[in-house]
Amino acid sequence: AQWCLANDVNMEEALDWINRATEPGLGNGRTFTALNIKAGILKKLGRETEAQGLTSEAMENGSVLEIHAYGRQLINEKKYAEALTIFETNFKKYGDLWPTHVGLMRGYSGTGNVKKALEHARIALGQAPDELNRKSMESMVKILEAGKPLSQ
């Protein structure tokens, strides 16, 4: 699905297919992923207002990890301010959890607020669910303590 948003395909046909997948009585797949794909297609078609509404609905339906992954996607696209907004939404919805602090760390780092990124990195370090993630967080804390943003 992300391939279709990144390549030159018939967006009207893509919209027709995703409409079928998300409409009640047909697919009724009003999942985070389906709504997010539809929002991306609408953005490609220049229909920003509709896309924003679907993104909001997707956020309501998304799990903590789905919303985090969407924020990471935005980081990869270098849309740091938009990613930070998504990570803030995730934190407001799910609270004090490891993925929400990792997201805020990445969002603040991407927007240049290393101090706030470090605050959330330290919290996430204490919440790391396993050794691999704990070691990764330790590395990120050291980078941020040096006053440097994370390489996203």
Side-chain angles (χ1 to χ4, degrees):
Q2 292 302 320
W3 176 88
C4 128
L5 297 178
N7 294 293
D8 187 29
V9 298
N10 183 335
M11 285 294 133
E12 291 295 339
E13 185 176 357
L15 183 60
D16 183 50
W17 280 101
I18 198 68
N19 281 339
R20 292 177 196 198
T22 58
E23 287 178 10
L26 295 173
N28 201 23
R30 301 213 50 96
T31 64
F32 177 86
T33 302
L35 293 170
N36 206 28
I37 290 169
K38 185 173 180 177
I41 293 169
L42 289 169
K43 283 180 188 177
K44 287 271 189 180
L45 291 170
R47 294 162 62 179
E48 272 304 315
T49 304
E50 285 178 81
Q52 287 173 353
L54 285 172
T55 299
S56 295
E57 185 180 345
M59 290 295 145
E60 291 171 17
N61 295 330
S63 72
V64 66
L65 293 177
E66 287 173 320
I67 295 170
H68 179 79
Y70 178 54
R72 288 295 306 267
Q73 175 189 328
L74 294 170
I75 291 281
N76 290 337
E77 295 171 5
K78 303 195 181 321
K79 296 178 180 177
Y80 301 116
E82 192 176 341
L84 178 57
T85 299
I86 296 303
F87 292 134
E88 288 171 334
T89 299
N90 206 18
F91 184 80
K92 287 175 189 165
K93 182 174 182 177
Y94 288 104
D96 182 30
L97 298 175
W98 183 73
T100 63
H101 287 290
V102 172
L104 287 170
M105 172 197 68
R106 290 188 180 283
Y108 283 121
S109 177
T111 58
N113 191 339
V114 174
K115 183 178 177 183
K116 288 291 281 184
L118 180 58
E119 287 176 29
H120 289 282
R122 288 180 173 149
I123 295 168
L125 174 60
Q127 296 175 329
D130 54 44
E131 188 65 14
L132 179 65
N133 283 299
R134 188 186 62 75
K135 286 185 178 197
S136 176
M137 291 307 306
E138 285 175 346
S139 297
M140 289 186 253
V141 165
K142 286 179 184 175
I143 292 167
L144 294 166
E145 283 177 337
K148 299 176 184 173
L150 302 171
S151 59
Q152 303 286 347

